[in-house]
Structures are given as structure tokens and as C-alpha cells.
């Protein structure tokens, strides 16, 4: 028996007023639904994840993730998901709206803990606004302390929810409504304010974040009998770059660019060249602590633009390979990385093929 995370990503976005379904709107560089997906995966609470979508999603190379088609309304999509999971030995389901991209592992764990004692657990927030209620043209005051604004994921014992859904004919906007309609008990726990729902295009405007830029530059001398590494990949060439490490000018310039945008000093501070600990280190391994810094400080990369300054190797010959490597090292979409080549009219040591230089600009947001 295991738990399943159901990600509802099939909404028609009636309130969103955009040509693209909101689940596929880019938020922090990724489609909206991918944010919750990543959080569910990193929580390690789920043996199975089920995405319900009406749009084709690129196959995710993971046997624990299934993708099925949604229904016309939200409750039809949930129903499709529950039918798909029948006989798959599911203990609990966590049903989550893809329009809430800021789900946290902490909230998932809190929900999971409560499922040990309750068959239905739903997160809520109190209203921060005063609330009125309209009935028969009269508007009444409501005590906001008694108002519960429900969030997702809403979590249920699979069998119980399956049976309730089986007999349900009414249109419901969330599973908690179904439980309440059937007079079933729900354990409400305090949710997370950051776990808000993106409902309109305006919501995305409010979410616009600060942007920072960082510049990086590096140059290394070329020497015989050394392998050449650029952007983390080996490039066939007559010489390699001299240096304490593998001399990868592209990765060094990227590291400085990223550190610059984060305002975290420079590569030399992070990896002192007088320290034998970093001797012959592959530059890939120097990039990893910087990627961790990005993550720990909630930064994400908007784009990276690179100028590789050399006569040879020709950038057009290595562009694809280098971008692919940087993309995988930074977990950054290839379309956000640009690599340009620049020769120097055979001038100076770069022109004489005795050195390669690189400059980079990085844009980050958080
Ligand atoms: Zn360097």
C-alpha cells in the first residue's frame, strides 16, 4: 500500500483569460505544473504520481509518473484519476491543483503525519479580509474567524474517497465539499500562505520578482599534453588549458557570473588556487556548490549569454555539445543558454592560439 500524489492540471482556466491554459504558463522558467511535480518528487512521500492533463505533456522518463486525460470539470478529472488508481494498492491520495506552484515539502509532510490518525485531511487559511454573505438581496456580516479558506493538496483515504465519488452526482469544486456534503469528518490543518492559487493573469504580474545580473570573465593559456575542456565537455584539440583545475574558461566565467549576480564575491574566494584541495579539480565540480548556493538562496536563472574568444576551436562546431552540457549541469533549459564565438583578428596570444578567453553574463531572479 502506498500513497499517490494526484496533480490536477486539466482546468480550462475560464478565469485566466489567456490563450495558453494556465497550467502551461511559464512561472519561474517552468510550466506551472512542473513546480508542484518537483516538490512532490523531492518529498519522497509518493511511490506514484499521477498527472491529469488535457494537453499533451512530453513523456517524463519516470516509471512512477503516469499521465492521464482529464475530464470536463475538476470533479470529472478527479474521478478519472480515482478510476485509474483502482486496484493499484493505493492507501492515500493527495489531490493538488497545479495552479498552486508554491507547494512545500513541509506542508506535504504535515498532511502525511495527520493521515496517520485521520482519513481526510485538508489545509486551510483563515480569511484576512472581513467577509460578507449575500442572501435574498441582503448582505450579512460573517465572523471571519469562522471562515475556512481551503487549499490543496487535499488528502484522503483512497477507498473512502473512491466510494464517495462513485455515488456523487453533484458538481463540486473540491473534494472537501464532497466530504462535507456527505457529512463526513475532515481534519482541517493550517495551510501555508505561500501556497496560493494563481487564478488570473494579474496574479502573475504581482509575482514579478527582482532581477540581478552578473558578469564573468576568464582567460587561460593553452599548453600541449593537456585535454581541452569547455563548458564541462572534452573537446578534441591540439592543446588544453593550463590551470590549477582543468582550466575550463567557460565554466569559470559562468561561476563568476552567477556569483556576481548573487553578490557572493568570486571564484577565487570559493576555490583558493593556493589550496591543494582543489588541485586538478574538474570545473564541473566547482560549479556544483554554486548551483547549491542558487538553490539555497531561492535564485533561478533567467538566461546566460557566453562569448568564447579564440581562433580555434570553431564555436559553430562545438556549440550544440557545449550548450547541452551546460544545460544539464545547471538543470537549465537549452533555449536559455546562448554561446557566441569571437575571433581576435589573429592579434595577441589569443590570436596566436596560445590562449582562450571567455566572457559571460548571467541574469537571475528570485
Ligand atoms: Zn579559470
Amino acid at each position: 500500500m502506498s500513497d499517490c500524489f494526484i496533480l490536477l492540471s486539466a482546468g480550462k482556466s475560464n478565469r485566466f483569460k489567456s490563450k495558453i491554459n494556465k497550467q502551461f504558463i511559464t512561472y519561474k522558467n517552468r510550466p506551472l505544473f512542473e513546480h508542484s511535480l518537483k516538490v512532490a518528487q523531492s518529498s519522497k512521500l509518493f511511490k506514484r504520481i499521477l498527472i491529469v492533463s488535457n494537453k499533451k505533456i512530453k513523456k517524463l522518463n519516470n516509471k512512477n509518473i503516469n499521465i492521464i486525460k482529464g475530464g470536463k470539470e475538476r470533479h470529472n478529472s478527479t474521478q478519472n484519476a480515482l478510476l485509474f488508481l483502482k486496484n493499484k494498492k493505493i492507501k492515500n491520495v493527495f489531490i493538488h491543483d497545479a495552479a498552486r506552484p508554491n507547494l512545500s515539502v513541509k506542508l506535504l509532510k504535515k498532511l502525511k503525519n495527520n493521515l496517520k490518525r485521520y482519513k481526510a485531511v485538508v489545509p486551510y487559511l483563515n480569511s484576512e479580509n472581513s467577509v460578507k454573505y449575500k442572501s435574498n438581496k441582503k448582505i450579512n456580516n460573517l465572523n471571519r474567524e469562522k471562515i475556512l479558506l481551503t487549499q490543496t493538496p487535499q488528502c484522503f483515504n483512497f477507498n473512502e474517497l473512491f466510494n464517495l465519488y462513485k455515488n456523487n452526482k453533484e458538481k463540486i469544486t473540491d473534494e472537501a465539499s464532497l466530504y462535507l456534503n456527505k457529512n463526513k469528518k475532515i481534519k482541517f490543518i493550517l495551510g501555508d500562505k505561500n501556497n496560493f492559487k494563481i487564478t488570473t493573469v494579474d496574479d502573475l504580474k504581482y509575482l514579478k520578482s527582482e532581477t540581478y545580473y552578473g558578469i564573468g570573465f576568464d582567460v587561460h593559456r593553452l599548453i600541449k599534453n593537456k585535454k581541452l575542456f569547455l563548458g564541462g565537455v572534452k573537446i578534441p584539440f591540439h592543446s588544453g588549458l593550463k590551470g590549477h583545475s582543468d582550466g575550463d574558461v567557460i565554466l569559470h566565467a559562468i561561476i563568476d557570473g552567477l556569483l556576481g549576480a548573487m553578490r557572493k564575491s568570486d571564484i577565487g574566494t570559493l576555490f583558493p588556487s593556493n589550496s591543494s584541495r582543489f588541485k586538478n579539480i574538474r570545473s564541473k565540480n566547482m560549479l556544483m556548490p554554486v548551483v547549491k548556493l542558487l538553490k539555497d538562496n531561492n535564485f533561478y536563472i533567467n538566461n546566460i549569454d557566453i562569448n568564447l574568444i579564440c581562433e580555434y576551436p570553431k564555436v559553430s562546431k562545438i556549440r550544440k555539445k557545449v550548450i547541452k552540457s551546460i544545460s544539464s549541469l545547471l538543470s537549465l533549459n537549452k533555449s536559455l543558454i546562448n554561446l557566441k564565438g569571437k575571433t581576435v583578428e589573429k592579434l595577441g596570444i589569443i590570436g596566436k592560439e596560445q590562449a582562450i578567453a571567455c566572457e559571460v553574463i548571467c541574469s537571475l531572479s528570485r
Side-chain angles (χ1 to χ4, degrees), residues 4 11 43 45 91 98-99 124 130 135 140 219 250 269 282 295 299 304 329 335 357 364-365:
C4 175
S43 75
L45 291 175
K91 185 156 194 257
Y124 77 96
S130 295
S135 71
N140 309 288
V219 57
I250 295 186
T269 312
R282 279 292 305 280
K295 223 177 131 188
F299 282 106
I304 294 184
L329 289 171
S335 66
L364 306 182
S365 289

Side-chain angles (χ1 to χ4, degrees), residues 118-121 160 179-180 182-188:
Y118 304 96
K119 285 187 164 176
V121 187
E160 194 170 272
Y179 262 65
L180 296 178
K182 308 275 180 195
N183 289 319
K184 284 271 184 189
K185 262 217 170 118
I186 298 177
K187 170 68 181 173
F188 286 99

Side-chain angles (χ1 to χ4, degrees), residues 15 113 290:
R15 285 179 287 175
N113 258 332
V290 181

Side-chain angles (χ1 to χ4, degrees), residues 218-220 245 247-249 252-253 267:
D218 197 25
V219 57
H220 282 258
S245 62
D248 191 327
V249 282
H252 294 179
I267 190 169

Side-chain angles (χ1 to χ4, degrees), residues 206-221:
Y206 298 132
L207 295 169
K208 273 231 155 62
S209 42
E210 327 138 73
T211 301
Y212 300 91
Y213 301 94
I215 186 166
F217 176 81
D218 197 25
V219 57
H220 282 258
R221 202 176 274 280

